[in-house]
Amino acid sequence: MRGIAALLVAASHVVQAPTGPTTELLTHPGVELSTGSRVLYATIVHAVDGLQAVIFFFVLSGFVLTRSLLREPSPSPAQAAEFVIARLFRLYPAIIFAIGSFAAASTLLGAPPALSTILKNMALISTSLNGVMWSLQLELLAIPVIYVMYLLLLRGTRLAVIASITISLSLVVMSFDPSIHKILGEPPLQMFYAFTFGCFCAAASGRLASRLTPMQANIAIAIFIILFFTARPLLGPASTWRFLVNSLSAWAMIYLVAYGPRASLLNVLDHPIAHWLGKLSFSYYLFHFLTITPVWNHPEFLAWLIDTVGLPRPAIALLIFAASTMAAMALAYICYSFVELPGIRLGRSVRSLLSPRVRGVPAR
């Protein structure tokens, strides 16, 4: 699921590629379109919307992290420190490597960024070199929230459950008020509640899903997939309600996959390619825009393909997506093999210095 979500984010940046000062490949063509073309363009743009994919990432992150904590339910200051260390060593090595690559590419193109800019981006203080990293800023901010949710849900008392629901609902309410969810400036906290939805999913009993038949699970998953992808066109791209529907639909899909019977509708997720995409998804997410940047920086090239060569815009989008994905996957494989995995192992070693019991525990 992570791999598919990462591909959707990349595709969303392809369809937004500039073709002129105020026009874009599919999102804002700037020309009169036939009814069929207009419907086709809108369908593609809605299907590959990057924000809904990022929301799915947030819910999935809350689920995975809370579930990993619940496997070893022994809350303590040492465990909290280990959790933070594991997240930092899971995220930062790849982030630092990716920013170094972006800076090197900018330097080769004659626009070397200042050292202070590079360091701020590596620390996630700024996202000026790689705009997609705003979501990782939220991931960092979510670390203490996820741990607090874990403590409350682990306790399981009525008061603790009420407190966890109050936190989640407060974040949902906050998302409707820009003066609150933009209090930090960047990143906005509008979709921050999605992490808490994942926490609730991890702590759920799963009894309801386990009672479903495979056919019922297929129908339920199909319904929530439709809800997930139709929220944008029905409620509007910037609708706060749309983000909430995306989050709830993501929660339901993850819940059904985690606790329900094997649904044939999602057999594709068991394919080796899907597992491979999942492994590389984080690095792919970090590097995909680097491979699209040449097209973004030269809108005249896209205009030439459209006006002179006469290629259909969807065909151009598909070609760019295929080429950039192959290049980004190659970079992602290098990053995963030589940066991500060593970083995880290093984090495990640092954690073992705090407590010998974490030795041999898989990285979270």
Side-chain angles (χ1 to χ4, degrees), residues 11-362:
S12 74
H13 289 133
V14 170
V15 301
Q16 297 175 61
T19 56
T22 59
T23 57
E24 297 171 354
L25 188 56
L26 294 183
T27 47
H28 300 290
V31 294
E32 288 294 327
L33 299 172
S34 66
T35 301
S37 295
R38 190 162 55 248
V39 171
L40 175 62
Y41 289 14
T43 300
I44 295 172
V45 169
H46 289 315
V48 302
D49 175 66
L51 277 178
Q52 64 195 15
V54 169
I55 290 171
F56 188 90
F57 270 128
F58 290 163
V59 179
L60 185 61
S61 181
F63 170 77
V64 171
L65 294 176
T66 304
R67 199 173 193 186
S68 70
L69 286 167
L70 290 171
R71 290 196 191 104
E72 197 178 359
S74 53
S76 66
Q79 186 212 35
E82 292 163 13
F83 176 64
V84 173
I85 290 169
R87 291 308 294 158
L88 295 180
F89 279 89
R90 177 69 182 87
L91 298 175
Y92 267 109
I95 289 170
I96 292 170
F97 181 68
I99 291 301
S101 300
F102 272 78
S106 296
T107 301
L108 289 174
L109 293 173
L115 178 60
S116 60
T117 299
I118 296 173
L119 294 177
K120 286 180 180 178
N121 277 260
M122 287 181 171
L124 284 184
I125 297 171
S126 170
T127 61
S128 59
L129 294 181
N130 189 1
V132 303
M133 289 193 179
W134 69 268
S135 63
L136 299 179
Q137 291 178 318
L138 279 189
E139 286 266 359
L140 287 181
L141 293 174
I143 290 175
V145 175
I146 290 172
Y147 195 80
V148 169
M149 291 290 290
Y150 150 71
L151 292 176
L152 293 171
L153 295 171
L154 177 65
R155 189 170 182 81
T157 64
R158 178 178 297 181
L159 184 60
V161 172
I162 290 174
S164 65
I165 294 174
T166 300
I167 291 173
S168 186
L169 288 179
S170 298
L171 292 173
V172 170
V173 172
M174 180 184 74
S175 72
F176 285 84
D177 189 342
S179 66
I180 299 178
H181 70 69
K182 291 184 178 180
I183 192 169
L184 298 180
E186 296 295 335
L189 302 177
Q190 188 172 20
M191 294 167 278
F192 202 53
Y193 57 80
F195 292 101
T196 67
F197 287 14
C199 297
F200 285 120
C201 189
S205 67
R207 284 195 299 269
L208 180 60
S210 64
R211 293 172 183 168
L212 298 176
T213 66
M215 177 62 71
Q216 290 171 331
N218 274 325
I219 293 172
I221 289 172
I223 290 172
F224 287 112
I225 288 175
I226 292 171
L227 282 174
F228 184 80
F229 284 103
T230 56
R232 186 183 195 268
L234 293 178
L235 299 175
S239 168
T240 304
W241 287 105
R242 166 258 172 129
F243 299 140
L244 183 57
V245 172
N246 282 148
S247 300
L248 291 170
S249 301
W251 175 91
M253 286 188 281
I254 293 169
Y255 174 80
L256 290 168
V257 171
Y259 304 112
R262 186 184 183 88
S264 59
L265 187 63
L266 298 179
N267 279 347
V268 65
L269 298 179
D270 294 325
H271 195 280
I273 293 179
H275 288 284
W276 184 73
L277 285 174
K279 286 182 179 180
L280 301 186
S281 61
F282 178 47
S283 287
Y284 174 79
Y285 179 77
L286 294 178
F287 279 97
H288 78 271
F289 197 74
L290 181 63
T291 63
I292 300 173
T293 298
V295 176
W296 271 63
N297 289 345
H298 295 281
E300 69 279 2
F301 174 68
L302 291 183
W304 176 75
L305 290 177
I306 296 167
D307 300 329
T308 304
V309 179
L311 286 178
R313 290 171 182 262
I316 295 172
L318 183 60
L319 288 172
I320 295 172
F321 177 70
S324 68
T325 295
M326 287 189 289
M329 283 298 177
L331 293 171
Y333 179 77
I334 294 171
C335 184
Y336 176 75
S337 301
F338 301 105
V339 180
E340 277 193 65
L341 291 180
I344 291 170
R345 289 193 290 267
L346 179 60
R348 190 181 301 151
S349 298
V350 173
R351 290 160 59 204
S352 69
L353 295 176
L354 294 177
S355 175
R357 69 180 176 82
V358 302
R359 289 175 181 163
V361 176

